[in-house]
Amino acid sequence: MENYKYSFVAKLVYRFANIPVTMLLFVYFLIALLDPEKTLFNGISIAVHALLIYAINRFYYKNYKYFPYLIKIDNENMICSDYFLQRKEVTMKLSEITEITGGIFSNTPARPVYVVDVHGTRIGLSPHIKNYNKLVTRILSNIPQELYGDILQRIKDFGELNKKGIIKRKK
């Protein structure tokens, strides 16, 4: 069984970076809210800061819910543990995986990959995990053949669309 985990810095950022950012945005939100001169700029500032606070914390909530910080995998099972503020341990049989989306499978390599099994269990894998490519390769080599074929076809289709210039990547 191989272990995959995040580096200390990545783990720190994925767990706690929202706290200082939210506090800073909240201070600016309060300053705009309590400003005696009620202008249009203050209203826009309040709305933007509230939206940013919501978006950042929504992103981190998804991280807390779906992203394990320790993954143990062999050719049959993937055991996910070390969730933030949770003592749960999720065991997923690789042969029962029904869906793999996001990341390179959705033509967005910097985004996380989500793995879903027949029971509806969802696991998130960030590209910042150590040996990410090796982990994804290990998962792909042990999933059902039909799903592997579908994923391979999807990636080929993205490649064809990129060649035709229909999908353009931001540089």
Side-chain angles (χ1 to χ4, degrees), residues 5 7 11 17 26 39 54 72 75 84 87 93 96 124 130 138:
K5 56 186 177 179
S7 69
K11 197 172 182 180
F26 189 70
T39 63
Y54 172 77
K72 297 176 184 176
N75 290 336
F84 184 65
R87 295 191 185 271
K93 290 186 182 282
E96 293 180 347
K130 289 181 183 175
R138 187 80 179 258

Side-chain angles (χ1 to χ4, degrees), residues 80-94:
C80 305
S81 59
D82 194 18
Y83 287 86
F84 184 65
L85 295 178
Q86 300 176 27
R87 295 191 185 271
K88 72 178 181 179
E89 182 174 284
V90 176
T91 301
M92 185 180 283
K93 290 186 182 282
L94 296 176

Side-chain angles (χ1 to χ4, degrees), residues 51-130:
L51 184 67
L52 287 172
I53 289 170
Y54 172 77
I56 288 170
N57 286 297
R58 183 172 159 236
F59 169 78
Y60 274 87
Y61 175 74
K62 283 177 75 173
N63 276 358
Y64 298 156
K65 188 174 179 181
Y66 297 121
F67 286 74
Y69 292 96
L70 177 62
I71 299 170
K72 297 176 184 176
I73 189 168
D74 60 14
N75 290 336
E76 295 177 9
N77 296 315
M78 180 168 54
I79 301 170
C80 305
S81 59
D82 194 18
Y83 287 86
F84 184 65
L85 295 178
Q86 300 176 27
R87 295 191 185 271
K88 72 178 181 179
E89 182 174 284
V90 176
T91 301
M92 185 180 283
K93 290 186 182 282
L94 296 176
S95 61
E96 293 180 347
I97 292 175
T98 58
E99 182 181 7
I100 299 177
T101 58
I104 59 171
F105 307 111
S106 299
N107 203 33
T108 52
R111 290 197 173 170
V113 169
Y114 291 98
V115 179
V116 181
D117 70 359
V118 293
H119 307 292
T121 306
R122 185 177 177 134
I123 302 296
L125 306 170
S126 174
H128 297 102
I129 196 166
K130 289 181 183 175

Side-chain angles (χ1 to χ4, degrees), residues 139-155:
I139 292 170
L140 288 175
S141 65
N142 292 294
I143 60 174
Q145 192 62 35
E146 308 85 45
L147 178 60
Y148 182 78
D150 291 343
I151 290 171
L152 192 60
Q153 185 60 44
R154 197 176 344 148
I155 292 172

